[in-house]
Amino acid sequence: LAIVLSRIIADLKEWKITILATDLNTRSLHKASEGIYTDWSFRETPQWVRNTYFKAAPGGRWAISSDIKKMVTFSYLNLVEDVYPSLLNGTNALDVILCRNVLMYFTPEAIRKVIHRFHRSLADESWLMVGPAETSQTLFSEFTSVSFAGATLYRKGATPPQMVTASFS
């Protein structure tokens, strides 16, 4: 996400952007916070991404640029616990939540609770993005469903929930 933002926002240094990356596995969080990757991590990534945003590191690995790395904060969060939204853990008034391929591991009741907490965690007119296998008009009924080519996103807004189709010319 930080790389995408750096590509689409010309004056990024003027913005206050915080990306909160969460997981319940502290070992995974530690590894991710190091920002070191192997060639395998780039197997389906265009070469220009590695050349632009990474530098060679010892052992044939690649380190993400400090400008990108400083945009991301890593923190423990168990999505099924009732600890968010909260000012204390930075999970309130969010603009975007990306939660891909996580909900499928929860029980139906846990999924409903997590989606409701996501809705409460988002600011108005904000977005929730889930994996393609997790989309559901029924589960995400609190949101407005927005279809883009090949993807369905969910928007929290003042307008009543509905299905919107968007296209770019």
Short mmCIF file of all heavy atoms in Angstrom, two decimals, residues 108-149:
data_model
loop_
_atom_site.label_atom_id
_atom_site.label_comp_id
_atom_site.label_asym_id
_atom_site.label_seq_id
_atom_site.Cartn_x
_atom_site.Cartn_y
_atom_site.Cartn_z
N PRO A 108 -18.95 -18.26 11.20
CA PRO A 108 -19.90 -17.25 10.70
C PRO A 108 -20.21 -16.16 11.73
O PRO A 108 -20.27 -14.97 11.37
CB PRO A 108 -21.15 -18.06 10.35
CG PRO A 108 -20.61 -19.42 10.01
CD PRO A 108 -19.45 -19.62 10.96
N GLU A 109 -20.37 -16.53 12.98
CA GLU A 109 -20.65 -15.53 14.02
C GLU A 109 -19.46 -14.58 14.20
O GLU A 109 -19.64 -13.37 14.34
CB GLU A 109 -21.01 -16.21 15.34
CG GLU A 109 -21.33 -15.25 16.47
CD GLU A 109 -22.51 -14.33 16.18
OE1 GLU A 109 -23.39 -14.67 15.35
OE2 GLU A 109 -22.56 -13.24 16.79
N ALA A 110 -18.25 -15.12 14.23
CA ALA A 110 -17.06 -14.28 14.37
C ALA A 110 -16.92 -13.35 13.17
O ALA A 110 -16.56 -12.18 13.33
CB ALA A 110 -15.82 -15.14 14.52
N ILE A 111 -17.21 -13.83 11.98
CA ILE A 111 -17.14 -12.99 10.77
C ILE A 111 -18.09 -11.80 10.91
O ILE A 111 -17.70 -10.66 10.64
CB ILE A 111 -17.48 -13.81 9.50
CG1 ILE A 111 -16.39 -14.83 9.22
CG2 ILE A 111 -17.68 -12.89 8.30
CD1 ILE A 111 -16.74 -15.84 8.14
N ARG A 112 -19.33 -12.05 11.33
CA ARG A 112 -20.29 -10.95 11.49
C ARG A 112 -19.79 -9.92 12.50
O ARG A 112 -19.90 -8.71 12.28
CB ARG A 112 -21.65 -11.50 11.90
CG ARG A 112 -22.42 -12.14 10.75
CD ARG A 112 -23.85 -12.49 11.15
NE ARG A 112 -23.92 -13.64 12.03
CZ ARG A 112 -23.84 -14.91 11.63
NH1 ARG A 112 -23.69 -15.19 10.36
NH2 ARG A 112 -23.90 -15.90 12.50
N LYS A 113 -19.22 -10.39 13.61
CA LYS A 113 -18.71 -9.46 14.62
C LYS A 113 -17.53 -8.65 14.09
O LYS A 113 -17.44 -7.44 14.33
CB LYS A 113 -18.30 -10.23 15.88
CG LYS A 113 -19.49 -10.74 16.67
CD LYS A 113 -19.04 -11.52 17.90
CE LYS A 113 -20.24 -12.01 18.68
NZ LYS A 113 -19.85 -12.80 19.85
N VAL A 114 -16.62 -9.30 13.37
CA VAL A 114 -15.45 -8.60 12.82
C VAL A 114 -15.89 -7.55 11.81
O VAL A 114 -15.42 -6.41 11.84
CB VAL A 114 -14.45 -9.60 12.20
CG1 VAL A 114 -13.39 -8.89 11.38
CG2 VAL A 114 -13.81 -10.46 13.29
N ILE A 115 -16.81 -7.91 10.93
CA ILE A 115 -17.29 -6.95 9.93
C ILE A 115 -17.96 -5.77 10.59
O ILE A 115 -17.76 -4.61 10.19
CB ILE A 115 -18.23 -7.65 8.92
CG1 ILE A 115 -17.43 -8.63 8.06
CG2 ILE A 115 -18.95 -6.62 8.04
CD1 ILE A 115 -18.28 -9.55 7.19
N HIS A 116 -18.74 -6.01 11.64
CA HIS A 116 -19.38 -4.91 12.36
C HIS A 116 -18.31 -4.01 13.01
O HIS A 116 -18.42 -2.78 12.97
CB HIS A 116 -20.35 -5.45 13.41
CG HIS A 116 -21.06 -4.37 14.16
ND1 HIS A 116 -21.98 -3.54 13.57
CD2 HIS A 116 -20.94 -3.97 15.45
CE1 HIS A 116 -22.41 -2.67 14.47
NE2 HIS A 116 -21.79 -2.92 15.62
N ARG A 117 -17.28 -4.60 13.58
CA ARG A 117 -16.20 -3.81 14.19
C ARG A 117 -15.45 -3.02 13.11
O ARG A 117 -15.04 -1.88 13.35
CB ARG A 117 -15.24 -4.70 14.98
CG ARG A 117 -15.78 -5.08 16.32
CD ARG A 117 -14.69 -5.75 17.16
NE ARG A 117 -15.32 -6.65 18.09
CZ ARG A 117 -15.30 -7.98 18.01
NH1 ARG A 117 -14.62 -8.58 17.07
NH2 ARG A 117 -15.93 -8.71 18.89
N PHE A 118 -15.23 -3.64 11.96
CA PHE A 118 -14.60 -2.91 10.85
C PHE A 118 -15.45 -1.68 10.50
O PHE A 118 -14.92 -0.59 10.31
CB PHE A 118 -14.47 -3.79 9.61
CG PHE A 118 -13.34 -4.78 9.64
CD1 PHE A 118 -13.27 -5.77 8.68
CD2 PHE A 118 -12.35 -4.74 10.61
CE1 PHE A 118 -12.23 -6.68 8.66
CE2 PHE A 118 -11.30 -5.65 10.63
CZ PHE A 118 -11.25 -6.62 9.65
N HIS A 119 -16.75 -1.87 10.41
CA HIS A 119 -17.65 -0.76 10.08
C HIS A 119 -17.51 0.36 11.11
O HIS A 119 -17.40 1.54 10.75
CB HIS A 119 -19.09 -1.25 9.99
CG HIS A 119 -20.03 -0.24 9.44
ND1 HIS A 119 -20.73 0.65 10.23
CD2 HIS A 119 -20.40 0.02 8.16
CE1 HIS A 119 -21.47 1.41 9.48
NE2 HIS A 119 -21.30 1.05 8.21
N ARG A 120 -17.48 0.00 12.37
CA ARG A 120 -17.33 1.00 13.44
C ARG A 120 -15.94 1.64 13.43
O ARG A 120 -15.78 2.78 13.84
CB ARG A 120 -17.59 0.35 14.81
CG ARG A 120 -19.06 0.01 15.01
CD ARG A 120 -19.37 -0.63 16.37
NE ARG A 120 -18.50 -0.25 17.45
CZ ARG A 120 -17.89 -1.11 18.27
NH1 ARG A 120 -18.07 -2.41 18.13
NH2 ARG A 120 -17.13 -0.68 19.24
N SER A 121 -14.93 0.92 12.93
CA SER A 121 -13.56 1.43 12.90
C SER A 121 -13.32 2.44 11.78
O SER A 121 -12.37 3.22 11.84
CB SER A 121 -12.56 0.28 12.74
OG SER A 121 -12.60 -0.58 13.85
N LEU A 122 -14.16 2.41 10.76
CA LEU A 122 -13.97 3.28 9.60
C LEU A 122 -14.62 4.64 9.80
O LEU A 122 -15.69 4.76 10.38
CB LEU A 122 -14.57 2.63 8.35
CG LEU A 122 -13.80 1.45 7.78
CD1 LEU A 122 -14.67 0.67 6.79
CD2 LEU A 122 -12.51 1.91 7.12
N ALA A 123 -13.97 5.67 9.27
CA ALA A 123 -14.58 6.99 9.19
C ALA A 123 -15.66 6.94 8.10
O ALA A 123 -15.66 6.04 7.26
CB ALA A 123 -13.52 8.03 8.83
N ASP A 124 -16.58 7.90 8.11
CA ASP A 124 -17.58 7.96 7.04
C ASP A 124 -16.90 8.13 5.70
O ASP A 124 -15.84 8.78 5.60
CB ASP A 124 -18.55 9.12 7.28
CG ASP A 124 -19.57 8.78 8.35
OD1 ASP A 124 -19.78 7.58 8.64
OD2 ASP A 124 -20.17 9.72 8.90
N GLU A 125 -17.50 7.56 4.67
CA GLU A 125 -17.00 7.62 3.29
C GLU A 125 -15.66 6.89 3.14
O GLU A 125 -14.87 7.24 2.27
CB GLU A 125 -16.89 9.07 2.79
CG GLU A 125 -18.15 9.89 2.95
CD GLU A 125 -19.36 9.31 2.24
OE1 GLU A 125 -19.21 8.75 1.14
OE2 GLU A 125 -20.47 9.40 2.79
N SER A 126 -15.40 5.90 3.98
CA SER A 126 -14.16 5.13 3.93
C SER A 126 -14.42 3.75 3.33
O SER A 126 -15.56 3.37 3.07
CB SER A 126 -13.56 5.01 5.32
OG SER A 126 -13.15 6.28 5.78
N TRP A 127 -13.35 2.98 3.14
CA TRP A 127 -13.41 1.75 2.36
C TRP A 127 -12.93 0.52 3.11
O TRP A 127 -11.96 0.58 3.86
CB TRP A 127 -12.54 1.90 1.11
CG TRP A 127 -13.02 2.97 0.20
CD1 TRP A 127 -12.67 4.30 0.23
CD2 TRP A 127 -13.95 2.84 -0.87
NE1 TRP A 127 -13.32 4.98 -0.76
CE2 TRP A 127 -14.11 4.11 -1.46
CE3 TRP A 127 -14.65 1.75 -1.39
CZ2 TRP A 127 -14.95 4.32 -2.54
CZ3 TRP A 127 -15.49 1.97 -2.47
CH2 TRP A 127 -15.63 3.24 -3.04
N LEU A 128 -13.58 -0.60 2.84
CA LEU A 128 -13.16 -1.92 3.30
C LEU A 128 -12.92 -2.77 2.07
O LEU A 128 -13.76 -2.83 1.17
CB LEU A 128 -14.24 -2.57 4.17
CG LEU A 128 -14.03 -4.05 4.55
CD1 LEU A 128 -12.75 -4.23 5.37
CD2 LEU A 128 -15.25 -4.58 5.29
N MET A 129 -11.75 -3.41 2.02
CA MET A 129 -11.41 -4.29 0.91
C MET A 129 -11.07 -5.66 1.48
O MET A 129 -10.25 -5.77 2.38
CB MET A 129 -10.22 -3.74 0.14
CG MET A 129 -10.48 -2.40 -0.49
SD MET A 129 -9.01 -1.75 -1.24
CE MET A 129 -9.31 0.00 -1.02
N VAL A 130 -11.77 -6.67 0.97
CA VAL A 130 -11.54 -8.05 1.40
C VAL A 130 -11.15 -8.88 0.18
O VAL A 130 -11.25 -8.42 -0.96
CB VAL A 130 -12.78 -8.64 2.10
CG1 VAL A 130 -13.10 -7.87 3.37
CG2 VAL A 130 -13.99 -8.67 1.18
N GLY A 131 -10.73 -10.11 0.43
CA GLY A 131 -10.36 -11.01 -0.66
C GLY A 131 -11.56 -11.39 -1.50
O GLY A 131 -12.70 -11.38 -1.02
N PRO A 132 -11.34 -11.77 -2.75
CA PRO A 132 -12.44 -12.12 -3.65
C PRO A 132 -13.32 -13.25 -3.11
O PRO A 132 -14.53 -13.26 -3.32
CB PRO A 132 -11.74 -12.57 -4.93
CG PRO A 132 -10.37 -12.01 -4.86
CD PRO A 132 -10.05 -11.84 -3.41
N ALA A 133 -12.75 -14.19 -2.38
CA ALA A 133 -13.52 -15.31 -1.85
C ALA A 133 -14.36 -14.90 -0.65
O ALA A 133 -15.20 -15.68 -0.18
CB ALA A 133 -12.58 -16.45 -1.47
N GLU A 134 -14.16 -13.70 -0.13
CA GLU A 134 -14.83 -13.27 1.08
C GLU A 134 -15.98 -12.28 0.83
O GLU A 134 -16.63 -11.85 1.76
CB GLU A 134 -13.81 -12.65 2.04
CG GLU A 134 -12.76 -13.64 2.45
CD GLU A 134 -11.57 -13.02 3.15
OE1 GLU A 134 -11.05 -12.00 2.66
OE2 GLU A 134 -11.17 -13.55 4.19
N THR A 135 -16.20 -11.90 -0.42
CA THR A 135 -17.25 -10.94 -0.70
C THR A 135 -18.62 -11.56 -0.47
O THR A 135 -18.84 -12.73 -0.73
CB THR A 135 -17.15 -10.41 -2.15
OG1 THR A 135 -17.27 -11.51 -3.05
CG2 THR A 135 -15.85 -9.69 -2.39
N SER A 136 -19.53 -10.74 0.06
CA SER A 136 -20.88 -11.23 0.35
C SER A 136 -21.80 -10.04 0.56
O SER A 136 -21.57 -9.23 1.45
CB SER A 136 -20.87 -12.10 1.61
OG SER A 136 -22.19 -12.31 2.06
N GLN A 137 -22.82 -9.96 -0.26
CA GLN A 137 -23.80 -8.88 -0.11
C GLN A 137 -24.49 -8.97 1.25
O GLN A 137 -24.77 -7.97 1.88
CB GLN A 137 -24.81 -8.95 -1.25
CG GLN A 137 -25.65 -7.73 -1.42
CD GLN A 137 -24.86 -6.51 -1.84
OE1 GLN A 137 -23.75 -6.60 -2.35
NE2 GLN A 137 -25.41 -5.34 -1.59
N THR A 138 -24.71 -10.18 1.73
CA THR A 138 -25.40 -10.38 3.00
C THR A 138 -24.50 -9.99 4.18
O THR A 138 -24.92 -9.23 5.05
CB THR A 138 -25.82 -11.86 3.16
OG1 THR A 138 -26.62 -12.22 2.04
CG2 THR A 138 -26.58 -12.07 4.44
N LEU A 139 -23.27 -10.48 4.20
CA LEU A 139 -22.37 -10.19 5.33
C LEU A 139 -22.01 -8.71 5.42
O LEU A 139 -21.84 -8.18 6.51
CB LEU A 139 -21.08 -11.01 5.21
CG LEU A 139 -21.20 -12.49 5.51
CD1 LEU A 139 -19.89 -13.20 5.21
CD2 LEU A 139 -21.59 -12.71 6.97
N PHE A 140 -21.89 -8.05 4.28
CA PHE A 140 -21.45 -6.65 4.26
C PHE A 140 -22.62 -5.69 4.05
O PHE A 140 -22.47 -4.64 3.43
CB PHE A 140 -20.38 -6.47 3.19
CG PHE A 140 -19.14 -7.27 3.46
CD1 PHE A 140 -18.95 -8.50 2.87
CD2 PHE A 140 -18.17 -6.80 4.33
CE1 PHE A 140 -17.82 -9.26 3.13
CE2 PHE A 140 -17.03 -7.55 4.61
CZ PHE A 140 -16.85 -8.78 4.00
N SER A 141 -23.78 -6.05 4.57
CA SER A 141 -24.99 -5.25 4.34
C SER A 141 -24.92 -3.86 4.95
O SER A 141 -25.66 -2.97 4.54
CB SER A 141 -26.21 -6.00 4.85
OG SER A 141 -26.10 -6.24 6.24
N GLU A 142 -24.02 -3.63 5.91
CA GLU A 142 -23.87 -2.29 6.49
C GLU A 142 -23.14 -1.34 5.53
O GLU A 142 -23.12 -0.14 5.76
CB GLU A 142 -23.05 -2.34 7.79
CG GLU A 142 -23.74 -3.03 8.94
CD GLU A 142 -22.86 -3.03 10.18
OE1 GLU A 142 -22.90 -2.03 10.93
OE2 GLU A 142 -22.13 -4.01 10.39
N PHE A 143 -22.54 -1.89 4.50
CA PHE A 143 -21.73 -1.13 3.56
C PHE A 143 -22.44 -0.97 2.22
O PHE A 143 -23.31 -1.75 1.87
CB PHE A 143 -20.40 -1.85 3.30
CG PHE A 143 -19.50 -1.92 4.50
CD1 PHE A 143 -19.60 -2.96 5.40
CD2 PHE A 143 -18.53 -0.96 4.70
CE1 PHE A 143 -18.76 -3.05 6.49
CE2 PHE A 143 -17.68 -1.03 5.79
CZ PHE A 143 -17.79 -2.07 6.70
N THR A 144 -22.00 0.00 1.44
CA THR A 144 -22.39 0.11 0.05
C THR A 144 -21.38 -0.70 -0.74
O THR A 144 -20.18 -0.51 -0.60
CB THR A 144 -22.36 1.58 -0.43
OG1 THR A 144 -23.30 2.31 0.35
CG2 THR A 144 -22.71 1.69 -1.90
N SER A 145 -21.87 -1.61 -1.55
CA SER A 145 -21.01 -2.46 -2.36
C SER A 145 -20.66 -1.72 -3.65
O SER A 145 -21.56 -1.22 -4.34
CB SER A 145 -21.75 -3.76 -2.66
OG SER A 145 -21.01 -4.56 -3.51
N VAL A 146 -19.38 -1.62 -3.97
CA VAL A 146 -18.93 -0.93 -5.18
C VAL A 146 -18.12 -1.91 -6.01
O VAL A 146 -17.10 -2.42 -5.55
CB VAL A 146 -18.07 0.32 -4.84
CG1 VAL A 146 -17.62 1.04 -6.10
CG2 VAL A 146 -18.85 1.27 -3.92
N SER A 147 -18.57 -2.16 -7.24
CA SER A 147 -17.89 -3.10 -8.12
C SER A 147 -16.98 -2.35 -9.09
O SER A 147 -17.43 -1.45 -9.79
CB SER A 147 -18.91 -3.91 -8.92
OG SER A 147 -19.60 -4.77 -8.06
N PHE A 148 -15.73 -2.73 -9.08
CA PHE A 148 -14.77 -2.27 -10.06
C PHE A 148 -14.45 -3.48 -10.92
O PHE A 148 -14.77 -4.61 -10.55
CB PHE A 148 -13.49 -1.75 -9.38
CG PHE A 148 -13.68 -0.46 -8.64
CD1 PHE A 148 -13.93 -0.46 -7.28
CD2 PHE A 148 -13.62 0.75 -9.30
CE1 PHE A 148 -14.11 0.72 -6.58
CE2 PHE A 148 -13.79 1.94 -8.62
CZ PHE A 148 -14.04 1.93 -7.26
N ALA A 149 -13.77 -3.27 -12.02
CA ALA A 149 -13.43 -4.41 -12.88
C ALA A 149 -12.67 -5.45 -12.07
O ALA A 149 -11.56 -5.21 -11.62
CB ALA A 149 -12.60 -3.94 -14.06
#
